[in-house]
Amino acid sequence: QVQLVESGGGLVQPGGSLRLSCVASGLSLDLDYYPIGWFRQAPGKEREGVSCISRMGTYYADSVKGRFTIPRDNAKNTVYLQMNSLNPEDTAVYSCAVPKYAGPFCYQESDNYHYWGQGTQVTVSS
């Protein structure tokens, strides 16, 4: 059974940093073979694709370019979301997701992802 577990959320002041973790288990192949997406959803807003990493490269939403990075540690089956220069607009529940099948490309749309973590709350406030 595939499981994704996020951690690392919390309360941070504007301008601060957080690192989210997404640990995957139960995949039929090594995590390296799958694109991993990070999404966020703020109250009253639609889910937004934040970032993705795959064997072919990375994707960042315009709203986070230059502030967020998405490193991965294949030995730990973990993908991170390093968030710097946070602002109140980044406040949301952040979730990681994996498609049902392995593949080399990132997907920006959430419909392409099958497995989701439970989410972790990030609140940016002074």
Side-chain angles (χ1 to χ4, degrees), residues 60-124:
Y60 297 97
D62 288 342
S63 57
V64 306
K65 276 181 184 176
R67 301 187 299 121
F68 291 11
T69 59
I70 186 169
R72 70 193 300 168
D73 186 336
N74 293 328
K76 295 182 178 181
N77 264 7
T78 301
V79 173
Y80 304 96
L81 187 67
Q82 178 65 46
M83 306 186 295
N84 301 323
S85 301
L86 287 162
N87 58 63
E89 290 70 38
D90 296 315
T91 296
V93 175
Y94 286 72
S95 302
C96 61
V98 174
K100 190 171 185 179
Y101 302 106
F105 301 106
C106 271
Y107 302 111
Q108 298 181 25
E109 298 299 324
S110 60
D111 289 350
N112 292 302
Y113 292 86
H114 185 77
Y115 302 105
W116 292 81
Q118 82 286 353
T120 185
Q121 175 70 46
V122 171
T123 303
V124 185

Side-chain angles (χ1 to χ4, degrees), residues 3-7 21-25 31 76-79 96:
Q3 280 194 317
L4 302 176
V5 179
E6 303 99 334
S7 62
S21 299
C22 173
V23 181
S25 61
L31 185 63
K76 295 182 178 181
N77 264 7
T78 301
V79 173
C96 61

Side-chain angles (χ1 to χ4, degrees), residues 26-43:
L27 294 169
S28 58
L29 299 173
D30 289 342
L31 185 63
D32 184 43
Y33 287 92
Y34 295 84
I36 312 296
W38 279 101
F39 293 80
R40 67 185 181 186
Q41 188 165 21

